[in-house]
Amino acid sequence: MAGRRRADRTAAGAFAAVGDRWRYTGDLTFDDAMPVLAAAANLPLPESGVVELAGLARGDSSALAVLFALHRRAQAEGHRPLSFPGAPVALLALARAYGVDSFLAG
């Protein structure tokens, strides 16, 4: 079943450094969260603090967990606060349901 489900999905996503910001493209769900977070640990945080999410194809509560982990990393490293513009409507609705939508509003 998992193989069929994966075949129907967009490829696993990743953060990429683009100038002084990061851009996310692809899915960020439970299946992708740990590898995505591990790969992000190898990137220096974006100088501007901007993490663009317009390329996020599909996200679930695990996407929110990854964004919170990045936020905590920025705090721990004494980095400027991160902002997450371009979050898809579905992720914003999920954040609103959990009462953390102000976090995504940046």
Side-chain angles (χ1 to χ4, degrees):
M1 175 85 166
R4 271 186 268 149
R5 193 174 109 205
R6 186 68 179 179
D8 293 340
R9 299 177 64 224
T10 306
F15 292 101
V18 179
D20 67 347
R21 57 186 55 214
W22 281 4
R23 182 171 297 148
Y24 193 85
T25 54
D27 287 351
L28 185 46
T29 63
F30 179 80
D31 293 334
D32 313 305
M34 292 306 292
V36 165
L37 193 55
N42 294 317
L43 292 173
L45 290 168
E47 187 177 316
S48 66
V50 174
V51 179
E52 296 177 3
L53 298 178
L56 178 63
R58 183 185 321 213
D60 61 13
S61 60
S62 296
L64 293 175
V66 167
L67 299 179
F68 276 115
L70 293 175
H71 175 73
R72 286 190 305 272
R73 175 184 163 197
Q75 287 180 320
E77 293 181 13
H79 193 274
R80 73 176 58 214
L82 298 180
S83 64
F84 302 98
V89 172
L91 189 64
L92 290 171
L94 185 60
R96 193 169 18 265
Y98 285 125
V100 296
D101 50 317
S102 62
F103 169 77
L104 284 181

